[in-house]
Amino acid sequence: MMGELVSFPTDRTDDYRIDFCDPEDHQVSTGRVPPHHLDAEAAVLSALLLDGNDHEDGTECAWSTVEHLLRPKHFYSEANGRIFQAIQHVRIAQTPVDMITVAEWLRERDWLQKMGGTAYLAQLADATPAIGHVGTHAAVIVDLWERRQIVATAQRVAAEGFGDVGDHAVYKASLRLEFGKLTAPRQRLAGRTIGAVVQEARAHVAESVGGRLQGVRYPWAEVADMVGLLAVERQTILAGLSEHGKTAAAMQIAIAVAETAIDALEFGEAVYVVSGEMPGKSLILRTACSFAGVDVLRIEAGRATPDEQQRVADWMAYLARLPIIIDDKPALPGVIAGRVREHQREFAAGAARDSDGNKHPRCRLRLVLGDHLQDLQSLSDKRDEKDRIGDTAHGWLNEIAKGRKVATLLLSQLKTPPPQMKAPKFPPWPAAEDLFGSAKIKACADTAIAVQRPELLMRGAIPSKWIGVAAMCRLKSRFGGEGRRVLLGFDKGVFRDELPAAARGESHYDGDE
């Protein structure tokens, strides 16, 4: 009978599954019969046996219609899956597809007799031809395979839910990831013509030329020339040694973005800051003190003058009005992406409010900052810290940068340099290899820059040209840029375009390379 489900003997089923099915396939529990359509499977195989070879006139054959869509694992009948697998291999060997070649391939592997011999193949070939509808029948097969995976996963999750699932947040994130893959839209044909991609590139250029930037700017003009925008769907790593100012630089970037003027479309810019290194209140106090020019230790010790206290209070009041979200609750990249999505909706609708209850103007939330990479959560349970950091960076790139169409700026540590020579000889500038976990982090970065304050690395008397000077060094820039370093002024935690007086006109490179 056409469409009959033919199964292999029990003692060979495991061997068959290993070779035939995807190891990640979910097996449906015994009980109700899983969704399937044997007649659709028979119709596809019939069409392939009758029209599985290329046409001399260049028109599409049945195989060309389904080769990008179907795989052997998609068939519910093991016998039908084997036959499709045979046709696939005969095509790869550039041998004509017909009853004889397919039967021979199956016979060599001792599978032909287990599925009913050539009689079953003949039954398929003699069926009413459905070549014109082979694409539709193939889609039905894949749809039902996907439904079987969803049913099996739901059965497993229902069973697991009654037991110990470990950390609840990790459990929920893993479920979102698993069901997201199962329910994601299926791309029926991979790849696009170069013409279609060119059109996208032209639109990107037109938007940029028209002032509709595909990202946000750095607050320092020369740094922007060196590495470009903080572009959406791209990830930037900002690295540095402890106390060299990477957190201060990141917060200065966040504030500058949040201060962006309302554009012609009546939109401003918002920023989402994930603080993994310190509580939010500490981050904001430190930032306010930097801009106020006050030592944070004087504020915390109660030794600040009334004027210093007022300056810090004024800066805190100013920061409170900016469209910046501070998130100091540890979470996985997928969870952070969900939080970002909700805030994006609020800002875009003009529903977000500041601390005084006043509504922000409508904003695009296009920058997400993570401080810093070593303290952010990852789905990985790997013990090797470099692997875990690499997995975190990968999660931020895919879940947040690409998933939410934002620019991500991740702070990271540099490896501790070897003991340096005394001044005035300056040590080597940082390179990509100096990133902690460099290979994995660099692979996930479109841009990587390092902040370095030379005066903190020197022993003995420090030449005046290096006092109050910070360097932004380009470690990687996938899309080009100008130069390898930019020198900025640095005073009390604030980076400035203008160098201090003692450094102006000095050659900062002669004898220092």
Side-chain angles (χ1 to χ4, degrees):
M1 173 177 154
M2 180 58 61
E4 181 180 358
L5 179 61
V6 179
S7 298
F8 291 104
T10 303
D11 61 346
R12 293 303 300 272
T13 298
D14 290 340
D15 174 68
Y16 172 78
R17 289 293 179 188
I18 290 172
D19 181 69
F20 170 54
C21 287
D22 190 312
E24 294 184 359
D25 274 3
H26 307 282
Q27 299 301 312
V28 179
S29 301
T30 56
R32 300 177 64 183
V33 178
H36 64 280
H37 198 311
L38 294 177
D39 287 336
E41 294 183 9
V44 167
L45 295 177
S46 173
L48 294 179
L49 288 170
L50 294 171
D51 189 39
N53 300 300
D54 295 330
H55 297 168
E56 292 184 3
D57 61 3
T59 56
E60 193 172 67
C61 66
W63 173 258
S64 300
T65 303
V66 304
E67 65 173 324
H68 297 292
L69 180 63
L70 274 181
R71 297 291 179 269
K73 67 178 182 179
H74 294 149
F75 289 81
Y76 180 66
S77 162
E78 296 180 359
N80 291 343
R82 282 297 190 190
I83 294 169
F84 183 86
Q85 186 179 19
I87 294 170
Q88 195 175 47
H89 280 267
V90 168
R91 287 279 314 187
I92 291 172
Q94 298 183 338
T95 303
V97 175
D98 56 34
M99 281 272 298
I100 296 173
T101 56
V102 171
E104 183 60 26
W105 193 91
L106 292 167
R107 184 181 293 108
E108 287 176 355
R109 287 151 185 82
D110 196 27
W111 294 336
L112 183 61
Q113 294 307 313
K114 293 179 176 63
M115 62 179 63
T118 55
Y120 185 60
L121 289 176
Q123 190 179 6
L124 288 173
D126 291 341
T128 303
I131 296 171
H133 304 290
V134 67
T136 301
H137 295 318
V140 169
I141 295 170
V142 178
D143 288 345
L144 292 173
W145 171 78
E146 288 179 340
R147 200 184 305 175
R148 291 197 295 275
Q149 309 314 299
I150 293 171
V151 169
T153 302
Q155 289 177 337
R156 177 180 57 77
V157 169
E160 289 177 349
F162 288 96
D164 182 10
V165 297
D167 184 270
H168 186 61
V170 174
Y171 176 63
K172 290 200 302 180
S174 66
L175 292 185
R176 277 193 297 273
L177 180 63
E178 188 165 9
F179 279 102
K181 289 180 179 179
L182 290 173
T183 58
R186 184 169 68 246
Q187 188 171 350
R188 295 181 184 272
L189 182 62
R192 293 171 294 157
T193 65
I194 191 171
V197 180
V198 166
Q199 286 297 100
E200 287 187 4
R202 285 174 176 165
H204 180 81
V205 171
E207 289 190 345
S208 300
V209 172
R212 298 185 294 278
L213 300 177
Q214 300 300 303
V216 293
R217 298 182 186 276
Y218 288 91
W220 315 287
E222 289 187 76
V223 174
D225 289 340
M226 181 173 69
V227 293
L229 291 173
L230 286 156
V232 298
E233 298 188 79
R234 296 180 193 171
Q235 184 151 280
T236 298
I237 300 295
L238 174 60
L241 294 168
S242 180
E243 299 184 11
H244 279 243
K246 59 183 180 294
T247 298
M251 288 305 295
Q252 194 170 341
I253 291 170
I255 291 168
V257 170
E259 290 175 331
T260 303
I262 305 300
D263 64 18
L265 298 176
E266 298 185 349
F267 271 83
E269 297 288 349
V271 183
Y272 194 97
V273 178
V274 180
S275 180
E277 184 181 26
M278 66 182 79
K281 63 181 180 181
S282 300
L283 178 64
I284 294 305
L285 175 60
R286 178 174 156 177
T287 302
C289 286
S290 293
F291 280 94
V294 178
D295 188 336
V296 67
L297 297 180
R298 288 177 57 80
I299 293 291
E300 292 182 329
R303 295 187 293 106
T305 66
D307 177 66
E308 289 173 332
Q309 292 178 23
Q310 187 60 52
R311 295 206 308 270
V312 172
D314 290 343
W315 268 102
M316 283 191 171
Y318 176 71
L319 294 175
R321 296 194 295 269
L322 294 176
I324 298 177
I325 301 298
I326 305 293
D327 181 357
D328 58 4
K329 296 180 180 179
L332 300 166
V335 176
I336 296 295
R339 296 174 186 174
V340 169
R341 180 182 62 246
E342 296 307 313
H343 284 288
Q344 282 179 317
R345 290 173 178 171
E346 270 209 333
F347 278 116
R353 297 177 183 270
D354 63 20
S355 59
D356 294 327
N358 301 313
K359 283 188 176 182
H360 289 293
R362 293 189 302 167
C363 290
R364 291 175 292 250
L365 200 170
R366 296 194 294 182
L367 176 63
V368 179
L369 189 156
D371 182 16
H372 58 75
L373 187 52
Q374 282 71 18
D375 293 319
L376 299 174
Q377 282 197 354
S378 167
L379 273 174
S380 172
D381 59 358
K382 296 175 182 175
R383 294 184 179 181
D384 185 273
E385 187 178 11
K386 293 180 181 179
D387 287 341
R388 183 184 62 78
I389 291 169
D391 287 346
T392 303
H394 189 268
W396 269 66
L397 175 62
N398 288 288
E399 299 277 355
I400 303 174
K402 295 180 178 179
R404 296 312 315 151
K405 297 189 183 300
V406 297
T408 49
L409 177 65
L410 281 174
L411 277 59
S412 181
Q413 292 281 6
L414 284 179
K415 297 174 185 175
T416 303
Q420 306 298 352
M421 298 177 65
K422 293 182 179 180
K425 181 67 177 178
F426 185 65
W429 297 99
E433 311 76 78
D434 298 319
L435 285 167
F436 186 81
S438 58
K440 293 180 177 293
I441 294 177
K442 187 178 176 183
C444 296
D446 295 292
T447 302
I449 56 179
V451 57
Q452 188 175 79
R453 294 171 59 198
E455 62 183 303
L456 297 185
L457 297 176
M458 294 181 176
R459 295 179 177 181
I462 301 171
S464 59
K465 71 177 183 179
W466 290 119
I467 297 175
V469 172
M472 291 287 182
C473 307
R474 184 175 75 171
L475 308 183
K476 175 185 178 180
S477 183
R478 198 188 303 275
F479 298 95
E482 298 180 4
R484 304 299 304 178
R485 282 182 296 278
V486 170
L487 298 178
L488 302 171
F490 182 84
D491 182 37
K492 294 183 176 66
V494 178
F495 295 82
R496 308 182 190 281
D497 282 307
E498 188 175 2
L499 291 170
R504 294 174 205 158
E506 289 272 10
S507 169
H508 289 75
Y509 303 99
D510 292 346
D512 296 325
E513 294 283 85

